[in-house]
Amino acid sequence: MAVDYAVIVVYLAGMLAMGWWGMRRAKSKSEFLVAGRRLGPVMYSGTMAAIVLGGASTIGGVGLGYQYGLSGAWMVFTIGLGLLALSVFFSARIARLKVYTVSEMLDLRYGGRAGVISGVVMWAYTLMLAVTSTIAYATIFDVLFDMNRTLAIVLGGSIVVAYSTLGGMWSITLTDMVQFVVKTVGVLLLLLPIAVVKAGGFSEMKAKLPTEYFDPLGIGGETIFTYVLIYTFGMLIGQDIWQRVFTARGDRTAKWGGTVAGTYCLVYAVAGAVIGTAAKVMYPKLPSADTAFATIVKDELPVGVRGLVLAAALAAVMSTSSGALIACATVANNDIWSRLRGAVKRDAEDHDEVKGNRVFILVMGIAVIGTAIALNNVVEALTVAYNLLVAGLLVPILGGLLWKRGTVHGALASVVVGGVAVIGLMASYGILANEPVYYGLLLSLAAYVIVSLATPATDAAVLAAWRERLAGRVAEPVSEPVPVPQ
């Protein structure tokens, strides 16, 4: 395993080096939080694909393939569909807003007063997303080094916190590009063909497995619908995803770069399911489907290649973890802390804004590591995060983009009713039940429409300013110098 260890160590050292490079480049708030809004199509596509395809998409996607066959692709497939929908229908308008958070968009659309409440919901979602990604380090480092769970979480989490704190979005963008390449080579170009060959080819796989393993809908219609509701719609409104849209150089980059990333996700989804199906042929009685990825990598891949594929899994986890961490810190600082203390200073020195955001990333990173150590059930934590996000924020965000009659009172009612309802329903039906997000979303929609129609329409001046922002005719509303490109 010495060669495999060397590959992993070089990879981790490279992540820290890129963090140091990013620190030298991130001299302004825009540079630190959204990479100066200057990413071109190649970097935008790579980083967007990297953040949405995390440990759940890689390790979990293979596990679903092991359990359900080709239909196990649906979870990651719906993530790709959500990214495609975001890119084609909404990303250009989102990029033109020139904001930093989803809550800022809600304030612009509804005339203020929606930021803190929506920020709390978004913060809870991004925190749990970062936590679940951090927990995944334990699985990977256990395979690599037979490491204690707590130590693995601290080691992996500390590396992500370090390079994210140092360079912000520039560091994360560069590391995500490396992670995108590593995942592509490790999973698509190496593990996929090797797994199929080791399983005897598709003909042998079909001969040894039940026919339902090759049924595209074998996982069940209700499960597919729930994936669409949670993951497809979740891609449309998550701060971690929007913050990447904000990094795009322009409308076309956001639209077409995101479309390429979404298409890549669809391919990745099928690849994970095929790898899992091949693992089922080779190891029909694994104690847990989630161990399928680690087992096939450890037992079937040659030295060196094994290290690269494990680095690919580590890359998947790190990209999602770092993206969720900076999103969590951005929301905590800009949408909650600054508003609660009433000290949003547009004339503050730009260097101080960078320093403040660095502090929040460090604090949130420590909180994420501590929560990950204390938490055991990753699936439940992720379900709570997405249920809160979809039931609490989907309606007011899409309503604000699509329905001009929506009001701030309707938006607030939608967030509160949807959030409270989904929490109560999870307590009643169970965290992993489908009903909470179904009913929570319907109640959120009803509250939004009824309260909006029952309250005065949004002020015409607010809507006019909103339309100007959507059209891209308003400059970024911050006082910060534009760095000279290097």
Side-chain angles (χ1 to χ4, degrees):
M1 292 287 287
V3 175
D4 297 322
Y5 293 161
V7 171
I8 299 297
V9 170
V10 168
Y11 171 77
L12 294 176
M15 297 299 101
L16 292 174
M18 290 171 198
W20 182 260
W21 178 89
M23 182 179 69
R24 299 178 59 191
R25 190 176 183 96
K27 302 298 184 182
S28 69
K29 179 180 178 180
S30 177
E31 293 282 342
F32 190 81
L33 293 182
V34 289
R37 307 187 194 276
R38 290 190 291 162
L39 296 193
V42 174
M43 291 194 75
Y44 180 84
S45 298
T47 58
M48 184 63 87
I51 188 176
V52 299
L53 295 174
S57 300
T58 303
I59 299 171
V62 172
L64 287 172
Y66 183 88
Q67 190 172 358
Y68 298 104
L70 298 186
S71 67
W74 273 106
M75 184 187 77
V76 183
F77 203 84
T78 55
I79 290 174
L81 292 178
L83 187 52
L84 285 172
L86 174 71
S87 302
V88 173
F89 299 112
F90 300 108
S91 63
R93 282 184 283 178
I94 293 170
R96 288 196 293 264
L97 289 174
K98 296 290 189 282
V99 295
Y100 292 101
T101 68
V102 175
S103 295
E104 285 183 59
M105 167 264 170
L106 292 173
D107 277 352
L108 284 171
R109 166 59 181 83
Y110 295 111
R113 295 180 291 171
V116 173
I117 294 177
S118 61
V120 169
V121 175
M122 189 63 77
W123 174 80
Y125 156 73
T126 53
L127 177 71
M128 295 313 298
L129 185 62
V131 166
T132 55
S133 301
T134 303
I135 291 173
Y137 295 127
T139 302
I140 299 169
F141 282 114
D142 178 57
V143 174
L144 285 172
F145 309 116
D146 193 24
M147 187 180 291
N148 173 269
R149 177 182 183 274
T150 298
L151 183 59
I153 290 172
V154 171
L155 175 60
S158 297
I159 292 171
V160 170
V161 172
Y163 73 69
S164 301
T165 301
L166 286 172
M169 188 58 82
W170 269 124
S171 294
I172 292 171
T173 295
L174 191 57
T175 55
D176 277 357
M177 277 303 298
V178 174
Q179 289 157 0
F180 170 74
V181 172
V182 171
K183 280 191 288 191
T184 301
V185 174
V187 175
L188 297 185
L189 301 183
L190 293 176
L191 183 58
L192 174 62
I194 290 174
V196 172
V197 170
K198 292 282 187 177
F202 285 104
S203 58
E204 187 70 14
M205 290 162 63
K206 286 185 177 181
K208 290 187 175 181
L209 295 174
T211 55
E212 55 263 29
Y213 265 72
F214 301 92
D215 180 0
L217 304 179
I219 199 170
E222 184 178 356
T223 299
I224 295 171
F225 179 73
T226 302
Y227 284 159
V228 170
L229 202 59
I230 293 178
Y231 296 114
T232 301
F233 286 131
M235 289 296 106
L236 299 180
I237 58 175
Q239 169 68 24
D240 53 324
I241 308 302
W242 277 42
Q243 200 155 343
R244 294 310 172 97
V245 176
F246 299 151
T247 66
R249 181 187 299 161
D251 298 0
R252 290 179 61 83
T253 297
K255 183 174 182 178
W256 296 111
T259 301
V260 171
T263 305
Y264 179 90
C265 292
L266 304 184
V267 175
Y268 201 87
V270 175
V274 171
I275 293 168
T277 305
K280 184 67 175 179
V281 173
M282 290 182 277
Y283 311 98
K285 295 183 179 181
L286 289 177
S288 169
D290 286 339
T291 63
F293 179 89
T295 302
I296 195 171
V297 169
K298 193 172 183 179
D299 293 350
E300 302 298 335
L301 299 185
V303 173
V305 173
R306 179 171 50 212
L308 182 60
V309 173
L310 286 172
L314 195 59
V317 175
M318 294 180 85
S319 57
T320 300
S321 181
S322 59
L325 176 59
I326 194 172
C328 179
T330 303
V331 170
N333 187 14
N334 292 270
D335 293 337
I336 301 175
W337 173 244
S338 293
R339 296 167 191 259
L340 289 178
R341 69 175 182 164
V344 180
K345 299 179 180 178
R346 293 299 183 192
D347 59 347
E349 291 186 10
D350 194 60
H351 176 72
D352 290 339
E353 290 188 273
V354 172
K355 181 179 178 181
N357 282 292
R358 273 203 179 100
V359 170
F360 265 86
I361 291 179
L362 179 60
V363 171
M364 289 298 105
I366 294 171
V368 165
I369 292 172
T371 306
I373 292 171
L375 200 64
N376 288 318
N377 198 312
V378 179
V379 176
E380 289 190 359
L382 196 60
T383 301
V384 170
Y386 272 99
N387 281 356
L388 276 173
L389 177 71
V390 173
L393 292 178
L394 178 68
V395 171
I397 292 172
L398 293 189
L401 290 169
L402 301 173
W403 189 42
K404 67 179 181 179
R405 186 59 182 84
T407 68
V408 65
H409 300 95
L412 289 171
S414 179
V415 173
V416 173
V417 170
V420 171
V422 80
I423 291 172
L425 289 165
M426 282 190 291
S428 175
Y429 284 96
I431 290 177
L432 298 180
N434 294 326
E435 288 84 358
V437 71
Y438 295 167
Y439 299 143
L441 188 56
L442 288 174
L443 289 170
S444 176
L445 177 60
Y448 182 71
V449 173
I450 293 170
V451 175
S452 291
L453 293 176
T455 53
T458 303
D459 186 85
V462 172
L463 288 178
W466 167 252
R467 286 192 290 270
E468 288 291 302
R469 292 295 286 270
L470 279 180
R473 291 192 286 266
V474 178
E476 187 168 348
V478 292
S479 301
E480 57 177 314
V482 178
V484 178
Q486 297 179 1

